[in-house]
Amino acid sequence: MRPGVVALASASLLVLGATPGDGPPQPLPARMADTGGGSQLITAVAPKTGSTSGTLTWWDRVDGQWVKAGSAPARFGAKGLVEGASRKQSTHTTPTGLYGLPYAFGIEAAPRGTAYEYRRVHQDSWWCQDNDSRAYNRWTEPLARDCRAAESEHLISYGALYAHALVIGFNYERPVKGRGAGIFLHVKGRGATAGCVSVPREAMKRIIGWADPGLRPHIAIGTASGTTAITRY
């Protein structure tokens, strides 16, 4: 092969991020900067920041390799996705990043086989989103005295959307007021979300039954490329 052809072939491989003899592409979790350190992972990927739909996949780490356990279409915020560290409350954007999954909840009983902590929603179950409350970004039952109902979600009123859900640990451990509260993985409705991630009902049930707290599952939310690429988290 002529030297110029060799150079051209090598340059092409560099652009594609490949090397001669490369096998099939690695699974997405293997290409990520961090997966949370556990053996289960959920990835929610949108094509770009302005997208309101994409794909959610859940993975198991088996014998050192990430294996896809399931996949479903996903919906994101009506205003797309934004870097979690700079997100603002009430912007209808889904925060990108890598997050823990503190617990599951639902208006309906836990799916069969659920091992995750699962809280049933009652008539007096609320999620406080009041920036002036000490219960900000927390489940409160009944509604905390310093938390205004108008600034909170009355969980039971969400019906089928919250039949089953997982709390996404965005702004959860040390809540920053004004960044956002009540970001969940839940059952999808008719369209985009107010900032959560949603999937079809049967997929949500499967995910809760699959999730094992002993395997420390996390969720990574991001785009296919760019500054919010899921592989950066």
Side-chain angles (χ1 to χ4, degrees):
M1 184 180 288
R2 299 192 306 275
V5 175
V6 172
L8 179 60
S10 299
S12 298
L13 287 167
L14 286 172
V15 169
L16 294 171
T19 58
D22 268 1
Q26 290 184 309
L28 177 56
R31 293 181 275 121
M32 292 173 56
D34 189 5
T35 58
S39 298
Q40 287 188 329
L41 179 70
I42 299 171
T43 56
V45 186
K48 54 187 179 180
T49 53
S51 302
T52 61
S53 61
T55 302
L56 184 135
T57 307
W58 50 108
W59 308 81
D60 290 301
R61 189 166 175 82
V62 181
D63 297 328
Q65 302 293 324
W66 286 102
V67 179
K68 183 166 73 172
S71 184
R75 297 305 304 266
F76 299 99
K79 298 296 184 180
L81 297 85
V82 69
E83 174 65 52
S86 58
R87 184 183 185 269
K88 302 297 182 183
Q89 187 162 326
S90 301
T91 55
H92 287 199
T93 54
T94 297
T96 62
L98 177 68
Y99 306 107
L101 297 162
Y103 56 89
F105 70 89
I107 292 173
E108 297 182 11
R112 182 175 297 179
T114 299
Y116 231 69
E117 178 187 349
Y118 189 94
R119 299 185 183 181
R120 280 297 293 274
V121 173
H122 302 111
Q123 187 62 40
D124 58 351
S125 303
W126 296 76
W127 195 275
C128 182
Q129 299 181 351
D130 187 341
N131 282 281
D132 295 326
S133 174
R134 288 174 294 179
Y136 179 71
N137 204 19
R138 288 291 185 273
W139 177 295
T140 171
E141 190 174 313
L143 185 64
R145 281 188 168 186
D146 68 344
C147 187
R148 292 169 291 176
E151 298 293 328
S152 303
E153 287 191 2
H154 189 203
L155 299 178
I156 203 165
S157 69
Y158 284 76
L161 298 182
Y162 289 172
H164 307 289
L166 273 164
V167 176
I168 296 176
F170 166 72
N171 200 31
Y172 188 79
E173 294 300 326
R174 296 178 178 84
V176 175
K177 301 295 180 67
R179 183 161 291 169
I183 301 298
F184 310 130
L185 172 59
H186 64 74
V187 176
K188 78 177 186 71
R190 295 181 179 177
T193 72
C196 296
V197 180
S198 67
V199 293
R201 178 188 177 92
E202 286 306 309
M204 193 67 240
K205 290 176 67 175
R206 287 178 61 197
I207 291 166
I208 290 180
W210 158 86
D212 182 345
L215 300 179
R216 295 185 295 156
H218 286 69
I219 184 169
I221 305 168
T223 52
S225 60
T227 58
T228 53
I230 196 166
T231 51
R232 296 182 63 245
Y233 298 111

